[in-house]
Amino acid sequence: MSQPTIAIVGAGHAGVEAAFALAAAGAAVTLFSNEPGLPYFRPRLIAVAFGQAAPDAIAIKPEAAYAKAGITLRHEPATAVDVQARTVNGQAFDGLIVSPGSHPFVPPFKGERTRAHTLWTLADALAIREAATPGKAITVIGGGVLGLEAALRAVEAGLRVTVIESAPFLAGGVLGDCEAT
């Protein structure tokens, strides 16, 4: 029996762990990533954005680990995924895992958004890092766990921080009755 071929669309934590588990079980795995560079832990982008971590420090696995495991890492968007035919960008696979993750919600802003950044990709984190200098003011929209971590790291980096949250409690109430004001 030949080695099964598996395509994984999405190189987040779930996609990478699936790739390594399947490769260890004997499959030939191709992992599709929309972003250049090594797959990384997205929540750790906050530390990169505020200068507390280097970009290479947030990689899920070192580069050599993919080749050693026999995983092909393709830095290209999976623009044509046919689940029934089990094809990605026209290439057939024996199996297909679709693990694309999600995208951030960006509120509708009036006017230009040149000073508003999402914190979703490494490129976003590096743009924030460039702009976030000590003494500047920053507004974090979202008082969830990651928004609060971003606010804390911004304070640690010497910025003045305001957090905006639409819910009545910060962090969805998991911190108790910490009212948002």
Side-chain angles (χ1 to χ4, degrees):
M1 183 172 171
S2 66
Q3 183 180 34
T5 59
I6 307 293
I8 301 176
V9 176
H13 190 229
V16 170
E17 290 301 319
F20 277 87
L22 288 164
V29 178
T30 301
L31 181 61
F32 289 85
S33 175
N34 280 350
E35 295 183 56
L38 293 175
Y40 54 83
F41 289 107
R42 197 169 301 281
R44 295 185 186 166
L45 287 172
I46 298 166
V48 173
F50 297 105
Q52 291 117 352
D56 60 347
I58 66 169
I60 296 172
K61 303 269 187 186
E63 187 172 8
Y66 294 88
K68 183 177 180 183
I71 297 168
T72 302
L73 184 56
R74 289 180 48 181
H75 299 288
E76 64 183 81
T79 54
V81 178
D82 185 333
V83 176
Q84 279 190 314
R86 293 184 295 213
T87 62
V88 178
N89 296 351
Q91 182 179 349
F93 293 91
D94 296 319
L96 176 63
I97 295 175
V98 181
S99 177
S102 62
H103 294 280
F105 168 74
V106 179
F109 290 100
K110 289 185 178 185
E112 279 192 54
R113 227 187 79 190
T114 56
R115 293 176 28 184
H117 300 276
T118 57
L119 181 49
W120 195 248
T121 66
L122 185 55
D124 294 339
L126 295 173
I128 291 169
R129 189 177 194 155
E130 179 75 24
T133 55
K136 281 190 172 181
I138 185 173
T139 300
V140 176
I141 300 175
V145 173
L146 295 178
L148 294 177
E149 182 180 350
L152 172 66
R153 289 190 177 270
V155 167
E156 290 173 348
L159 286 93
R160 295 174 292 129
V161 178
T162 300
V163 176
I164 297 175
E165 172 56 49
S166 62
F169 296 101
L170 296 173
V174 296
L175 301 176
D177 294 340
C178 300
E179 280 195 50
T181 56

